[in-house]
Amino acid sequence: MSDPIRLAVVGMGKIAHDQHLPAIRDNAEFRLVATVSRHGEATDGLPFFASIDELAASGLAVDAVALCTPPQVRRSIAMTAIAKGWHVFLEKPPGATLAEVVTLCDAADAAGISLFASWHSRYAAGVEPARAWLAERTITRATITWREDVRVWHPGQHWIWEPGGFGVFDPGINALSIATRILPHAFFVEQAELDVPSNCAAPIAARVDFRDTQGTAIAMDLDFRQEGPQSWDIVVETDAGTLTLAKGGGELSLPGGETPAGTALHGEYPGLYARFAEIVRAGTSDVDVAPIRLVADAFLRGRHIPVDPFVE
């Protein structure tokens, strides 16, 4: 395939408009040919469909789809796309459950389809330099603090509080996607506390203790109730000093004022679409389940603590 990849975007919410559409427009590897949503309207005069089934029945030439729907409905949509022979880009989290993602991997492999589980925070500017620096250090402790105001970042998104919506682990999985990329040893959940509002099915805050295979402690603090300054920080203590990755991976500080190597990526979503084009052209897939596996384990091992109802 040498012509632009003909792409349809499914699920036209905030993330699609804010991140996906601009990244697609700026990447010559792709040509947006349609959008799909239960709500909304056509984009740039392109064909618009109310469902993936309508798109599939239309006869429109499509090579790939980017799925930006809530995770609870993503598996069935992805299976329809795979059955049509379309490559699939999954917004994070890639599914409502780990088993769903594994099933999609198996289906894509059987069909010879490229499947991409996109972890956008891994494409932040500081992540790869942090990974390279930590690879040569002994880690003594790590702390993950992800605190944001859900009313600002997820206004009106009721699906996030439903089963499979992840609650505070929706942003928390961004932190885990970075941590599983930069930390040199695998880590696992030892214990967790999940604060669940009495009117919700998913947590509004969580505290999780991890330990890696070398015995190093990793503590994570997530909270959707943060007002004022927001925190998206990972601090890693090592034998050579402390590394701080702030602003969701966008700002890296090393001990002694060292200047990290630069990155060729310009923004997270442009990096994601460059990677998606790469695997489509190569006929491969890129699906790392480590972040969603850790979230599943936090729910498995977590103690649920009832807290006040959440009212937006």
Side-chain angles (χ1 to χ4, degrees), residues 81-82 84-88 107-115 283-285:
I82 290 169
K84 288 292 293 182
W86 299 338
H87 306 290
V88 179
D109 287 347
I113 296 301
S114 294
L115 182 69
T284 60
S285 289

Side-chain angles (χ1 to χ4, degrees), residues 32-35 41-48:
L32 184 65
V33 297
T35 57
E41 56 189 16
T43 298
D44 297 333
L46 295 171
F48 173 78

Side-chain angles (χ1 to χ4, degrees), residues 130 133-134 136-142 234-244 252-258:
W133 192 85
L134 289 171
E136 301 177 354
R137 308 296 188 276
T138 298
I139 296 169
T140 57
R141 180 173 173 79
I234 299 177
V235 178
V236 185
E237 301 171 27
T238 80
D239 60 341
T242 299
L243 174 150
T244 301
L252 175 62
S253 299
L254 297 176
E258 299 175 50

Side-chain angles (χ1 to χ4, degrees), residues 2-22:
S2 57
D3 294 331
I5 300 164
R6 297 165 296 191
L7 180 74
V9 175
V10 183
M12 295 302 295
K14 179 176 172 59
I15 196 70
H17 285 283
D18 290 353
Q19 300 293 344
H20 288 260
L21 294 186

Side-chain angles (χ1 to χ4, degrees), residues 90-106 108-109 115-119 122 166 169 172-181 186-189 210 285-298 300:
L90 300 169
E91 176 58 74
K92 69 87 198 171
T97 70
L98 181 57
E100 287 187 357
V101 181
V102 173
T103 298
L104 290 178
C105 288
D106 291 343
D109 287 347
L115 182 69
F116 183 35
S118 68
W119 301 111
R122 286 185 175 176
F166 286 65
F169 283 97
I173 205 170
N174 294 337
L176 291 172
S177 74
I178 295 174
T180 52
R181 180 65 182 166
F187 56 95
F188 51 89
V189 177
F210 303 95
S285 289
D286 183 350
V287 182
D288 180 9
V289 299
I292 192 172
R293 183 170 58 214
L294 288 170
V295 171
D297 287 351
L300 280 171

Side-chain angles (χ1 to χ4, degrees), residues 47-273:
F48 173 78
F49 303 92
S51 70
I52 190 78
D53 293 323
E54 286 189 11
L55 172 62
S58 72
L60 184 70
V62 175
D63 301 311
V65 292
L67 306 189
C68 308
T69 64
Q72 294 96 325
V73 299
R74 202 170 292 153
R75 184 201 61 81
S76 62
I77 296 172
M79 290 298 288
T80 298
I82 290 169
K84 288 292 293 182
W86 299 338
H87 306 290
V88 179
F89 178 123
L90 300 169
E91 176 58 74
K92 69 87 198 171
T97 70
L98 181 57
E100 287 187 357
V101 181
V102 173
T103 298
L104 290 178
C105 288
D106 291 343
D109 287 347
I113 296 301
S114 294
L115 182 69
F116 183 35
S118 68
W119 301 111
H120 67 81
S121 291
R122 286 185 175 176
Y123 290 76
V127 172
E128 288 306 307
R131 172 183 168 87
W133 192 85
L134 289 171
E136 301 177 354
R137 308 296 188 276
T138 298
I139 296 169
T140 57
R141 180 173 173 79
T143 305
I144 301 167
T145 306
W146 232 251
R147 288 173 159 257
E148 65 181 54
D149 188 342
V150 66
R151 294 177 175 87
V152 173
W153 298 100
H154 298 276
Q157 295 181 13
H158 302 295
W159 60 265
I160 208 167
W161 301 112
E162 297 172 357
F166 286 65
V168 75
F169 283 97
D170 181 76
I173 205 170
N174 294 337
L176 291 172
S177 74
I178 295 174
T180 52
R181 180 65 182 166
I182 68 173
L183 296 177
H185 304 293
F187 56 95
F188 51 89
V189 177
E190 285 198 316
Q191 61 182 6
E193 293 181 335
L194 312 180
D195 296 343
V196 183
S198 59
N199 61 338
C200 299
I204 198 168
R207 294 153 305 279
V208 186
D209 292 331
F210 303 95
R211 194 168 298 276
D212 75 10
T213 55
Q214 305 303 300
T216 304
I218 303 165
M220 183 166 70
D221 176 26
L222 309 176
D223 206 318
F224 251 162
R225 301 166 295 194
Q226 180 77 6
E227 297 181 359
Q230 313 282 279
S231 300
W232 302 287
D233 305 321
I234 299 177
V235 178
V236 185
E237 301 171 27
T238 80
D239 60 341
T242 299
L243 174 150
T244 301
L245 197 53
K247 298 181 180 178
E251 184 176 282
L252 175 62
S253 299
L254 297 176
E258 299 175 50
T259 302
T263 175
L265 300 176
H266 301 284
E268 296 176 3
Y269 279 81
L272 289 178
Y273 275 95

